[in-house]
Amino acid sequence: MTLDDLRVFVAVCRAGSLSAVARELGCTQSAVSQHVKRLEKETRVSLLERQPRGVVPTAAGRILWDAASDGLAGLDLALRRLGDLVDGESGAVRVTTGGTTVRHFMADAIVEFRRRHPRVSLEFRTETSSRRCFDALLSSNLDLAWITIGEPVRGIEQRPAVELPWVLAVREDDPLAEREHVRVADLADLRLVRLPSNSTSGEQLDVALAGSGLRAGSGTSVADWDTALLLAELGLGHAVIPELPGLRGPGAGAAAGAGGPLRLVPVPELPPLQVGWAVRRWDALPPQARAFADTVVRALTA
């Protein structure tokens, strides 16, 4: 067996599909299957079970999946550390996160980190959801993922960094703009601009609203919070969003890039949203990556 065989096998177990891994790797499904067959020949057991909608690991496959995942993570760390020995204090910190996260959560931290570590580069890979960030973290040499904290994910450690209260973004000429706060019941008659329900934050919002007995109408679904703010400012609906760093105060719309007046009215009945870091193993993080993660948290909690 080879390291490539193990990497492909772990990717198949995670994705539950040979074809999905083939698309990800830019090869044929037959090539992916050959990696698995070599492992089955070497171990003399069946590792995958075919189902109508993909594949799942057998009992033997789960044993190999667990061991291979831990082993590959340790090997990747060793290779990174060897690279650090060669490069000295240089190197790179590789982060995956949403498209607008860097501006809202990391701008100050990036400036501070670059001042302290001028020879370390920061590389960002944009994904559309926390779930996609998890997949990228598990399938590549990324160090960190900034995500919405959610249910446990196999092979991932999540660490909350900050809690974000929910607010209702409305135009300043809206009747709700003068409220000190709004109740969940006040949202019943509103057409909400919200994130897709399959996103972690959108899913948590739906659960919280349902727990209060409300199934709010939704006129528009958007991919990120900044777009939700922009549409609310344009009068295309009301946006229930987490209160992102830097949005509170005069010119909330300008802070979001919309360039106009918005009011952010607290919705205290909704439980706050937790965001933070996800990694494969905290104790295996390279020193530069740990330093960057700590810098972001310090900047947000200062």
Side-chain angles (χ1 to χ4, degrees), residues 1 5 9 33-49 56 58 61 64:
M1 69 179 71
D5 293 337
F9 174 69
S33 181
Q34 287 301 315
H35 285 286
V36 178
K37 288 179 179 178
R38 274 197 294 271
L39 291 176
E40 291 179 329
K41 181 178 180 180
E42 182 74 18
T43 59
R44 295 180 294 173
V45 293
S46 176
L47 298 174
L48 294 177
E49 177 183 343
V56 295
T58 63
L64 183 60

Side-chain angles (χ1 to χ4, degrees), residues 61-99:
R62 284 192 291 271
I63 294 174
L64 183 60
W65 182 12
D66 289 340
S69 296
D70 291 342
L72 290 171
L75 179 61
D76 288 341
L77 171 64
L79 294 175
R80 290 290 304 277
R81 287 181 171 174
L82 290 174
D84 292 341
L85 289 176
V86 174
D87 298 334
E89 295 182 358
S90 62
V93 176
R94 300 173 178 88
V95 182
T96 180
T97 187

Side-chain angles (χ1 to χ4, degrees), residues 171 191-193 219-220 230-238:
R171 290 173 58 91
R191 300 289 286 177
L192 298 179
V193 178
T220 306
L230 175 59
L231 295 184
E233 183 169 353
L234 294 174
L236 300 182
H238 298 73

Side-chain angles (χ1 to χ4, degrees), residues 15-259:
S17 168
L18 295 171
S19 58
V21 173
R23 288 193 299 270
E24 180 182 323
L25 298 178
C27 64
T28 65
Q29 183 171 326
S30 175
V32 172
S33 181
Q34 287 301 315
H35 285 286
V36 178
K37 288 179 179 178
R38 274 197 294 271
L39 291 176
E40 291 179 329
K41 181 178 180 180
E42 182 74 18
T43 59
R44 295 180 294 173
V45 293
S46 176
L47 298 174
L48 294 177
E49 177 183 343
R50 293 189 177 274
Q51 295 190 339
R53 295 189 176 182
V55 295
V56 295
T58 63
R62 284 192 291 271
I63 294 174
L64 183 60
W65 182 12
D66 289 340
S69 296
D70 291 342
L72 290 171
L75 179 61
D76 288 341
L77 171 64
L79 294 175
R80 290 290 304 277
R81 287 181 171 174
L82 290 174
D84 292 341
L85 289 176
V86 174
D87 298 334
E89 295 182 358
S90 62
V93 176
R94 300 173 178 88
V95 182
T96 180
T97 187
T100 62
T101 300
V102 173
R103 175 171 64 233
H104 289 302
F105 295 97
M106 301 182 187
D108 293 339
I110 289 173
V111 173
E112 175 65 15
F113 182 81
R114 292 302 300 274
R115 184 181 68 80
R116 293 177 176 269
H117 306 275
R119 297 182 59 194
V120 178
S121 64
L122 292 171
E123 301 175 7
F124 294 93
R125 172 172 166 176
T126 300
E127 296 292 350
T128 56
S129 68
S130 293
R131 291 182 180 88
R132 294 295 299 271
C133 287
F134 291 143
D135 289 342
L137 193 61
L138 289 169
S139 63
S140 64
N141 62 348
L142 294 166
D143 300 302
L144 298 157
W146 183 264
I147 47 94
T148 300
I149 303 297
E151 295 296 323
V153 177
R154 187 189 187 106
I156 294 288
E157 297 181 30
Q158 301 180 55
R159 180 169 295 183
V162 65
E163 290 189 342
L164 306 175
W166 291 94
V167 295
L168 179 68
V170 300
R171 290 173 58 91
E172 64 177 3
D173 56 357
D174 190 283
L176 294 174
E178 301 304 319
R179 298 272 195 96
E180 292 186 2
H181 66 271
V182 297
R183 302 186 60 188
V184 171
D186 297 327
L187 307 177
D189 298 326
L190 303 181
R191 300 289 286 177
L192 298 179
V193 178
R194 288 162 42 201
L195 291 181
S197 59
N198 61 353
S199 69
T200 304
S201 54
E203 184 179 83
Q204 292 185 19
L205 176 59
D206 286 343
V207 170
L209 293 176
S212 300
L214 176 65
R215 183 179 177 86
S218 179
T220 306
S221 178
V222 296
D224 60 76
W225 295 322
D226 278 1
T227 304
L229 283 168
L230 175 59
L231 295 184
E233 183 169 353
L234 294 174
L236 300 182
H238 298 73
V240 177
I241 66 163
E243 186 177 342
L244 305 173
L247 290 186
R248 179 63 66 181

